Structures are given as structure tokens and as C-alpha cells.
Amino acid sequence: MRNISHALITKVVVFLIAIVCLTGAAKAIINMEFNEVHLSSINQDNYFESRVFADESYDLITSLTQLIGKYKSEEYILGGKALTKEDRRGIENELFNEFHYNGYDYDLSEGDNKRIFKEEYADDINRKKDERMKEQVREFYRLLSTLEAYEGSVYYASDGEHVFSNSELNKKEQFESFGAYMLFEDYQQKLYPNEVKESQYLDYFTHNVEKLNPQKDVIFVAFKESFLQQKMQGWEKDKAIAKSFLNELIVFLAGFILSFVYLIMVIGRTSFKDKEIHFHVIDKLYNDLNIVIVVSLTAMWIAMIVEVLHDMHTLLTAPIFIIALLMILSLVKHIKNRSLLQHTLIYQILKKVFLSVKNVFDSGSIGVKTVLLVIGYPIVVAATFFMFPVTIGLAAWFAMKKVKSFNRIKEGVEQIKNGDIHHRIEVDGKGEFSRLAANINSINDGLKKSVDSEIKSERLKTELITNVSHDIRTPLTSIITYVDLLKIENDPEIIAEYVDVLDQKSKRLKLLTDDLFEAAKASSGSMPVQLERIDIVSLLTQGIGEMDEKIEASSLDFKLAHPTEKVYVKADGKLLWRSIENLFSNIFKYAQPASRVYIDVEDLGNEILVTFKNISAYELNISVDELMERFKRGDESRSSQGSGLGLSIAESLIHIQLGRFLVQVDGDLFKSMIYLPKFPNE
């Protein structure tokens, strides 16, 4: 199923199904529109509640209302009685606007101008009124023609003087004998059957009656039985057709939605796990042009269907929908790829213009930028003359922003010059001012680092002199003391004891001087380095074996963990072993007796990590940086036999082998980590 779901043939088949369903849905909508099918009839049980009955009643009642309420008769209209105040005011306002342009005198008052207008335009006003009355006469006879077309209805309308009727019936009781009627008289309306009252369209076809004079205007309308039967049968037939069209529309829409959702899910990918969107030739079209084409095709289709080629809707719909759906699916691909905005012609043009200007600004000097602003700003002002205040405001805002940036830099430099080396100049943006501020901050940071480094160097020098003096003076004092004792001692046994002490102290002194020399040599980088392939696991295993006696004496339990396959590092064998030996020595001196020591070898890809972890016998209440300083020991009492140079020497030796050496302290857990380049496998 995974192979089938994203197959090209599957996508093509589903695409064709979507086109067929969309075409079928469009056909159903077009048929409903051109056959004047009212979908509202589907939910109505009675003809008298339907929109069809409301439309037929609206034309009839509205015509009667207009005749007795407004037009009445031809003589009435030609006598000007049908002209309302709004009609007269509209005619005068139309002509007064013409007078306002041609003869209005601004030196006179409004009243004087209106008086002059009525005198000069009296004939025009009368002519316009005559034209309006003739239009009303034409509308009067059009309404009479409309009433004559209602063969299935009987009506009577009167205002007490003028009567409009198509029968001899003129009494309310006479109309009540019909099967359906509507009677409006004396502020009351009587509708039958009751379904007419319950119709949701009641106000739609009766609201014009409210404009009549209820004291004298009456309208009686009734429908013949044969007419009602014919209309009911037609309504039932239309209702069945509406249900058929609706069901057809629902089926096609459901099919289109399902197929379209499927296409949205699979378009642009070869499987559900495929994260890349695959584009084709059609997807190279810019998205804004794509949208314009889709909208244009839709508008063209609607225009041709409605205005020109209703009978050819199937032939036109399918190709137009194919093109439109392909364009929409292309947009879906870009939405998935998050390139909907970026892949537009407008965006690309603006981007190129922006980058061109930006490149000039980024690469040019202040002089070049000034010239560009002098040339470009008038062009912008000319192009945006309709919003000139906004352009001026933006220019003023931009200038003030640059002035503030310059003042901020000037004030910051003044503060730094006065000795505030911790002050930072904050300038937003990416222009020259921001780069200048960043450069000044960098100089300030370098100055702070130099000051801090100098302070730290002075402190280290002081501590170095103190520690070296203490560590060297202690064995040297012992040697001097025991030499003086030997001069006056004659007992051979005591002399032998003194010689042993001298031997220990001299070796201690030699160890200190050797470590000091090695530390100086390693940190200077003058030691020769010969990098080669080394089996790090074998080196560690051999080292642990050679130190078996020391391990037993310290009761430490060494645990070595390493990959099953051999791993090789690129290092100098002698220098690497010297570094590891220093770490072993550090462990023997400072690790908690009878505890475990963990050595882990990890393959990090391009590097090999060797980690040494042990529990310290002394409280590690100093930082990692302090531990890495020369002559610094874990026991601040300096009672152990270490020189305090082991970690410093190890760090320097690893560094000259192109590796990294780190130390971490977590409570009493001491961790040393060596990162070395991995030797590539052959």
C-alpha cells in the first residue's frame, strides 16, 4: 500500500476523479441556477410556505400597492400628484448642481443664489418634472399589464376612489370563498390557508402593504383552485428535481473533497516518510502569476457560462478545471516547502532591488551612501508625491535615528576614555554605525581581557614564586640540616639514617626541578612531536599492567570500558604516555583509597575521548581553573608529595598533539578528559 499510495499512476487517477467530481458539482449548480430551482423548497412541506408562492404573490401585491398607493390613474399622474417631495427635491438638486458650476455667484448668499437658480432654471425644472411624470405613466401602464397576466388569481384593490379589479367581486366575504386568499383592510390582514402565515417569506411579499393608508385602502387577492393545483403540481415536481440536483451535488462534492485531500497529502512526495518536496516544470511558475491565472480562469469560466455558452459548460469546465487544479496543487507544494511567498515574482524583484541597494550600502563608504541618498531621495519623493508628508516623516525619522546612533557612540567613547572600561555602546541595526560600535566594544573587550590577564599573570607570578619557594626550600632546608648533623655525628647507624633522609630529599628536589623544567618546555611548544597511529586501548591496558603494584598498594579498583572494535588515535606515543602517566600519578596521590577508578574510551566519530573518573580523598573546594594552575594541588595544606604541575603538564602535552584536555569537578568526583584526533581506518 505504501508503494501504491504515492505512485504516479495513482496520483493521475485520483486527479482525474477530482476533475470529474468537480465538473459534476459545477454542472449540478449550473442546472439549479438556470432551472431556477429553489433548494429551500426541499425542507418545506407545503406550497404556501415556499419561495415560489412568495415570488408570485410579491409581484401581484406589489403591483396593486403601487397602483392604489402611488399612481392611481393617468390623470392623477399628469396632474403632478404622484410626484413626491423626494422626486421634486431630486430634480431640483440635479439642476442646482449644474447651476453651481455654471452660474453660482460666491459673492451672494446661499438664499440669493437659490432664488436666482429657480428663476433661471424654472423651465428646466418644469421640463424635468414633465419627463418624470411621463416615466410614471409608463410605469403605471406596465403595472396594469403585469396584473392582466395573472389569469389564475382574482384581485380587487381600491383607495375609495380608484379601483383595480379583474372581476365583479368587491366584498371580503366573496374572496373568503376561495381555497387561498390574502385580505388587507382596516389595519388587518387575513391570510388563508394558515401555512401562508407560517411562511418565512411573509414579510417579503407583504411589507409594501404597510405603506398604504389603512383607513381607506384595501387589497383583496384570491387564487383559483385550478391555478393552485397546477402550481402545486409544478412545485412538487421542482422539489423532486431540487432533491435530485442536491443529492448529485453532495455526491460530487464529497468525491472531490476526498480526492483533493488525498492529492494534498501525497503531492510532491514519493512516500509518507519523504521529507523533500519534488518540483516539476509547472512549479517553476511564480506563485503570484499562478494565483492570477487561477482567478482569471475562474472568472472567464463564470462569464462564458452565464453570458455566452451555457449549453457547452461541460466542454469548457473540464479543461479549465484541469489547468486550475494543477496550479492549485503547485501552490500546495510551495506551501509544504514553505516557499509560497519567496517564490513570487514581486518578492524576487523586491529582493533583488533590496540586495542591490544593500550591497552598495554595505560595500560603499559614507560618501557613496550620501551621494545615493542625495540622488535617490528626490526620486522617492517624486514617486510618492501623493504621500509626501509620510515620505518627509520617514526621512526625518531615519535622520534622527542616525544622529542618535552617532551621539551614542560619541558619548560611549568619552566614557571609555575616562576609564570606564566596562561600558558598552549599544547601537541597533547593521549599518556602519553599528559596526563601528561593535569594533569599539571589541577594543574595549580586548582591553578588559588584557587588564584581567595582566592582573591574573601578576597573581600567578606571585603564587608561583611563593609555591616554588616553599616546595624547593622544604627539601633543601632538610638537606642543609642533615648535612650539618653529619658533620658532627660519628655513630655509623645514625649516619646511615641521615644519608637515607638526604637521599629522599634530594630525589624530591630533583623531581620538583624536573617537573618544573618539563612544564616550561611543554608550555613553550619547543618539544619535538612525532604523530603516529596508536592503539589507545592497548596503551591503557599496558599502562595499568605496569602499575599493578601501585594499584594493589592503593587498593584502587580500575574499571576500563572501551568499544569492541579497535580504535586508533593520532598522537605521539611518548608524549601521550607521559600525559596519561601524570593522570595515573594524580589518581594514586589524591584518589580515595579502596575506591573505584573508571577509564572510558569513546568513539566520537572524528575524535576519541578518554575519560578518567575517581573520587577525591580531599575536599575539592576550588574551581577547575584553579586546579589547572601550576603548583596548585587538591590539598591546600600541600602535605602530599605532588608538585602541582601534573595537570598543567598533561594539558600542555595534549595540546601540542593537536588534542584537548578538560577537567570537571562534581562534588568529590574528579574527571579528566582527553580528546585526541582519530586515526582514519585503512
Side-chain angles (χ1 to χ4, degrees):
M1 289 300 295
R2 286 195 296 269
N3 295 333
I4 296 174
S5 63
H6 288 71
L8 178 61
I9 185 65
T10 307
K11 295 177 183 177
V12 172
V13 170
V14 176
F15 179 85
L16 294 176
I17 292 174
I19 293 298
V20 170
C21 291
L22 190 58
T23 305
K27 179 182 177 182
I29 294 173
I30 292 171
N31 288 335
M32 284 189 289
E33 182 66 26
F34 281 92
N35 289 290
E36 298 182 351
V37 173
H38 297 287
L39 292 177
S40 59
S41 300
I42 296 175
N43 297 323
Q44 294 164 350
D45 299 327
N46 192 282
Y47 164 72
F48 295 104
E49 299 177 0
S50 68
R51 176 64 180 266
V52 176
F53 177 77
D55 288 341
E56 293 170 350
S57 302
Y58 174 83
D59 291 338
L60 178 58
I61 293 176
T62 301
S63 298
L64 292 172
T65 303
Q66 291 285 320
L67 288 172
I68 64 171
K70 184 175 183 180
Y71 298 118
K72 300 183 184 298
S73 68
E74 182 177 353
E75 292 78 11
Y76 182 85
I77 296 172
L78 294 177
K81 296 179 181 179
L83 287 175
T84 62
K85 292 181 179 179
E86 288 76 13
D87 294 331
R88 299 175 188 275
R89 189 181 299 115
I91 292 171
E92 291 183 2
N93 288 338
E94 180 183 350
L95 293 173
F96 185 76
N97 289 333
E98 181 181 337
F99 168 76
H100 194 279
Y101 286 106
N102 297 328
Y104 194 89
D105 191 346
Y106 289 94
D107 295 331
L108 300 177
S109 64
E110 181 75 13
D112 291 338
N113 275 295
K114 285 188 175 181
R115 178 179 53 78
I116 295 172
F117 159 73
K118 289 184 178 180
E119 292 175 356
E120 294 182 358
Y121 279 78
D123 294 338
D124 292 326
I125 293 173
N126 292 329
R127 178 177 54 80
K128 285 285 186 180
K129 288 180 180 179
D130 290 339
E131 291 177 358
R132 179 58 181 154
M133 286 187 290
K134 291 177 181 178
E135 291 176 2
Q136 290 179 335
V137 170
R138 286 194 293 269
E139 178 65 14
F140 171 75
Y141 283 108
R142 188 193 68 78
L143 291 174
L144 291 178
S145 299
T146 302
L147 289 176
E148 291 176 358
Y150 284 90
E151 298 179 353
S153 61
V154 180
Y155 58 84
Y156 171 82
S158 174
D159 62 352
E161 180 180 354
H162 305 91
V163 176
F164 301 92
S165 176
N166 63 348
S167 69
E168 296 180 354
L169 306 180
N170 57 7
K171 302 294 183 183
K172 179 169 63 174
E173 293 77 10
Q174 294 173 323
F175 284 86
E176 290 177 347
S177 63
F178 287 84
Y181 54 83
M182 292 181 286
L183 311 177
F184 305 95
E185 181 185 23
D186 194 20
Y187 296 98
Q188 295 181 353
Q189 59 181 18
K190 189 173 183 180
L191 310 174
Y192 186 83
N194 292 329
E195 286 80 3
V196 179
K197 300 178 184 178
E198 298 172 359
S199 173
Q200 60 180 327
Y201 306 107
L202 179 61
D203 291 337
Y204 163 65
F205 61 84
T206 61
H207 73 279
N208 285 323
V209 179
E210 298 175 358
K211 301 177 182 178
L212 299 177
N213 185 345
Q215 295 179 346
K216 59 179 182 178
D217 295 340
V218 296
I219 295 178
F220 301 148
V221 176
F223 300 95
K224 299 177 181 178
E225 189 65 27
S226 58
F227 172 79
L228 289 176
Q229 289 297 327
Q230 180 185 356
K231 289 295 182 180
M232 288 180 183
Q233 291 175 1
W235 177 77
E236 291 288 349
K237 183 179 179 181
D238 290 341
K239 181 178 179 180
I241 295 174
K243 285 184 178 180
S244 174
F245 284 150
L246 181 61
N247 292 334
E248 184 180 344
L249 176 63
I250 291 173
V251 170
F252 281 123
L253 276 181
F256 171 73
I257 291 172
L258 291 175
S259 55
F260 184 64
V261 169
Y262 167 80
L263 290 173
I264 289 176
M265 294 172 60
V266 302
I267 197 69
R269 291 194 170 101
T270 57
S271 68
F272 286 113
K273 294 182 179 179
D274 188 7
K275 301 300 181 182
E276 182 183 358
I277 301 298
H278 304 278
F279 292 102
H280 300 292
V281 177
I282 193 173
D283 304 315
K284 293 182 180 179
L285 182 67
Y286 288 115
N287 292 330
D288 44 0
L289 299 181
N290 188 331
I291 294 172
V292 170
I293 291 174
V294 172
V295 173
S296 300
L297 285 174
T298 305
M300 180 180 68
W301 176 78
I302 293 174
M304 287 192 300
I305 293 300
V306 174
E307 302 294 339
V308 185
L309 302 170
H310 169 234
D311 295 333
M312 299 178 64
H313 60 79
T314 303
L315 295 175
L316 289 171
T317 299
I320 290 177
F321 282 4
I322 288 174
I323 298 173
L325 188 55
L326 285 173
M327 295 292 185
I328 292 172
L329 291 176
S330 177
L331 292 174
V332 170
K333 284 186 182 181
H334 285 287
I335 292 173
K336 287 184 176 182
N337 196 51
R338 298 181 179 178
S339 57
L340 182 65
L341 178 62
Q342 292 85 340
H343 191 67
T344 58
L345 182 60
I346 295 174
Y347 178 87
Q348 294 298 325
I349 293 174
L350 293 177
K351 181 180 178 181
K352 288 181 179 179
V353 172
F354 173 78
L355 290 177
S356 300
V357 176
K358 184 177 182 297
N359 288 335
V360 173
F361 263 72
D362 290 343
S363 60
S365 62
I366 290 291
V368 174
K369 295 177 183 179
T370 303
V371 172
L372 285 176
L373 286 174
V374 170
I375 296 174
Y377 183 69
I379 296 175
V380 173
V381 172
T384 58
F385 67 93
F386 56 90
M387 47 183 295
F388 182 72
V390 176
T391 308
I392 291 292
L394 289 175
W397 171 80
F398 180 78
M400 288 299 298
K401 185 178 180 182
K402 293 301 178 183
V403 170
K404 287 181 180 179
S405 299
F406 174 76
N407 290 334
R408 196 176 292 122
I409 293 173
K410 184 177 70 173
E411 294 169 0
V413 172
E414 189 72 22
Q415 285 188 252
I416 295 172
K417 185 191 74 172
N418 293 332
D420 186 4
I421 62 174
H422 296 286
H423 178 73
R424 295 191 64 81
I425 303 173
E426 302 294 340
V427 175
D428 299 330
K430 296 182 180 180
E432 286 192 348
F433 284 149
S434 62
R435 289 199 299 272
L436 177 60
N439 292 335
I440 295 174
N441 289 334
S442 298
I443 295 173
N444 201 24
D445 292 339
L447 180 62
K448 286 192 293 182
K449 288 181 180 178
S450 298
V451 172
D452 293 341
S453 177
E454 187 65 26
I455 294 173
K456 183 178 180 181
S457 177
E458 291 297 325
R459 180 177 62 82
L460 288 177
K461 285 180 182 179
T462 303
E463 291 184 359
L464 178 62
I465 294 172
T466 302
N467 291 332
V468 169
S469 300
H470 178 275
D471 287 350
I472 293 179
R473 186 173 56 186
T474 300
L476 187 60
T477 301
S478 299
I479 291 172
I480 294 171
T481 301
Y482 280 97
V483 168
D484 290 338
L485 290 174
L486 280 173
K487 291 179 181 179
I488 60 175
E489 186 60 56
N490 295 319
D491 188 345
E493 294 182 359
I494 296 177
I495 290 173
E497 292 178 3
Y498 288 171
V499 171
D500 288 339
V501 173
L502 287 172
D503 182 58
Q504 293 176 10
K505 299 302 180 181
S506 61
K507 289 180 179 179
R508 170 65 177 161
L509 186 59
K510 182 178 183 302
L511 175 64
L512 287 171
T513 54
D514 288 345
D515 285 349
L516 184 60
F517 174 74
E518 187 174 9
K521 191 175 180 182
S523 61
S524 66
S526 61
M527 298 182 71
V529 180
Q530 186 175 354
L531 301 178
E532 56 186 351
R533 188 178 77 160
I534 297 174
D535 186 345
I536 186 64
V537 177
S538 298
L539 182 65
L540 290 170
T541 305
Q542 182 180 351
I544 294 172
E546 292 177 358
M547 298 181 182
D548 189 54
E549 292 183 2
K550 289 185 178 181
I551 293 173
E552 290 183 1
S554 63
S555 302
L556 295 174
D557 184 10
F558 279 74
K559 302 289 186 182
L560 177 62
H562 57 83
T564 56
E565 298 180 358
K566 286 191 175 184
V567 288
Y568 298 95
V569 296
K570 191 175 183 180
D572 185 303
K574 293 181 180 179
L575 299 182
L576 178 57
W577 172 245
R578 182 71 178 95
S579 305
I580 294 175
E581 190 178 30
N582 278 7
L583 296 181
F584 277 127
S585 177
N586 197 67
I587 290 171
F588 290 133
K589 291 174 184 176
Y590 301 112
Q592 179 72 33
S595 63
R596 293 186 182 89
V597 177
Y598 295 93
I599 304 174
D600 298 329
V601 180
E602 298 179 61
D603 187 348
L604 303 181
N606 295 326
E607 290 182 315
I608 301 298
L609 170 62
V610 183
T611 307
F612 299 82
K613 293 182 285 188
N614 66 273
I615 301 298
S616 175
Y618 303 94
E619 183 179 356
L620 298 175
N621 54 2
I622 57 178
S623 66
V624 171
D625 293 336
E626 290 178 312
L627 277 174
M628 294 302 298
E629 293 176 5
R630 295 178 180 180
F631 289 96
K632 183 66 70 173
R633 304 184 197 172
D635 60 326
E636 289 297 322
S637 64
R638 309 184 66 82
S639 59
S640 63
Q641 295 301 311
S643 63
L645 295 169
L647 294 179
S648 177
I649 293 172
E651 180 185 29
S652 299
L653 293 177
I654 295 299
H655 179 71
I656 63 177
Q657 297 176 79
L658 307 179
R660 294 179 293 140
F661 180 79
L662 301 175
V663 169
Q664 290 183 357
V665 174
D666 186 2
D668 292 335
L669 176 64
F670 184 81
K671 184 190 298 185
S672 304
M673 294 174 288
I674 298 175
Y675 292 86
L676 290 169
K678 183 179 179 181
F679 197 94
N681 294 328
E682 297 180 356

